[in-house]
Amino acid sequence: MARLTLPAGPHRRYNPLRRAWLLVSPHRTQRPWQGEVARTETASAVHYDPQCYLCPGNTRAGGQVNPEYQDIFIFDNDYAALLPNASEPAASGTAPGGLLRAEPEQGICRVLCFHPDHDLTLARMAHPDIVKVVDAWASQSEELGAREEIHYVQIFENRGAMMGASNPHPHCQIWATSHVPDEPQAESISQSEYLSAHQTCMLCDYLRTEVSLEDRVVCENEEFAALVPFWAVWPFETMILSRKHAGSLTDMKANQRAGLADILKRVTTRYDNLFQTSFPYTMGLHPSPSDGQPHPEWHFHAHFYPPLLRSATVRKYMVGFELLGMPQRDITPEVAAERLRSLSEVHYRVST
Ligand code: H2U
Ligand code: ZN
């Protein structure tokens, strides 16, 4: 495939998955920084925290006691953002022009603890233990997605205080909703239209392009590839794509799930090694909607959105022009990928 010649100066890049543009300003990384310097997170090394509401045997907010779990542990969120039964009807009356719209949303919110050890993270968990997490994601997606009232199962991990995680204990959240949320809805529409226009899958084509060009690929195994998308907004944003076309984890065989566990460990280890810190991020899976419709267009993938820019303490802010105009980045996705690619896959806390 012919190399793409990218402008060295300010330019726009298109995100076909979200149908959005991104401003790239590669010349801007040298500007002085006198803003906030965030605190470096110190390694906790506490394997059991009596104050942690996720550690085995501890009592949660609602008074329930966690079991002495040995691997994963799943419970209904005690502060669920959505409730299983839609109790009220849609907003009544009509506003001029249909400007004021409200409708009920029902859903199920759960918390999934990855491991009983309070100090672990995906990066430092053993591969077989991450496979158990991936298998739990698959069975949760299957169980919740099979419910008639559930149209999307969103699994995500907020990692680190910088991303608003309430607790360092390794865990993720599951929000299953009666509507397909905006992000997967937009991705579904663009993938559908691409499939209709080209008779091929958008992300199969995209992955093939990136793997042949190599510039933005971070690491690969037989089943998955991790890359900094051409249109990445966050400095070290990555996307994990399954090599085989599959809509969701429930369509994947054991070797594919093991491949996902492997690539998650490798990507998060590289992240931690970048600034020798427990790298904060929001990570989320994007499976096909479970709305009872066929989704041949949908290609399973995961997004990592990490905020750090230049060190363990200097983060990127989405403010100003980003909020009012469009997202903008300084270091190019190619430079970010090169930096992540050059890092070891042995975790710095293991190697020292
Ligand atoms: P975050 O770290 O991503 O905020 O996830 C933790 C979730 O745990 C959060 O959604 C829930 C919060 O509502 N939680 C409980 O369900 N029970 C508790 O005792 C405390 C926190
Ligand atoms: Zn804990």
Side-chain angles (χ1 to χ4, degrees), residues 52 54-55 118 169:
C52 169
L54 299 179
C55 272
H118 183 83
H169 195 109

Side-chain angles (χ1 to χ4, degrees), residues 236-238 267-274 279 304 306 340:
F236 293 97
E237 176 177 333
T238 54
V267 168
T268 52
T269 298
R270 286 170 183 273
Y271 273 156
D272 284 6
N273 286 345
L274 181 62
F279 206 72
F304 272 91
L340 289 172

Side-chain angles (χ1 to χ4, degrees), residues 47-49 52-56 58 69 116-119 167 169-170:
H47 303 287
Y48 166 75
D49 177 356
C52 169
Y53 53 79
L54 299 179
C55 272
N58 290 359
Y69 61 96
D117 188 338
H118 183 83
D119 177 51
N167 190 321
H169 195 109

Side-chain angles (χ1 to χ4, degrees), residues 72-76 108-113 132-147 150 152-155 172-176 249-250 257 285 287 290:
I72 57 146
F73 168 51
I74 302 166
F75 62 92
D76 285 330
I108 297 159
C109 296
R110 291 181 178 160
V111 179
L112 190 166
C113 298
K132 289 181 188 166
V133 173
V134 173
D135 286 344
W137 289 341
S139 53
Q140 287 292 305
S141 304
E142 186 149 37
E143 180 210 316
L144 293 167
R147 297 194 188 205
I150 296 300
Y152 202 75
V153 181
Q154 180 61 64
I155 295 176
C172 71
Q173 295 194 45
I174 305 168
W175 291 28
L249 287 176
T250 50
R257 294 182 192 178
L285 309 182
S290 37

Side-chain angles (χ1 to χ4, degrees), residues 32-38 317:
W33 178 259
Q34 292 182 317
E36 182 208 24
V37 175
Y317 286 96

Side-chain angles (χ1 to χ4, degrees), residues 2 11 19 41 56 70 73 113 118 140 142 145 168 174 179-180 182 226 234 237 252 255 285 304 339-340:
H11 60 277
R19 299 175 167 199
E41 274 190 44
Q70 303 295 312
F73 168 51
C113 298
H118 183 83
Q140 287 292 305
E142 186 149 37
I174 305 168
H179 290 89
V180 181
D182 288 354
W234 294 93
E237 176 177 333
M252 290 187 198
N255 59 319
L285 309 182
F304 272 91
R339 289 190 62 186
L340 289 172

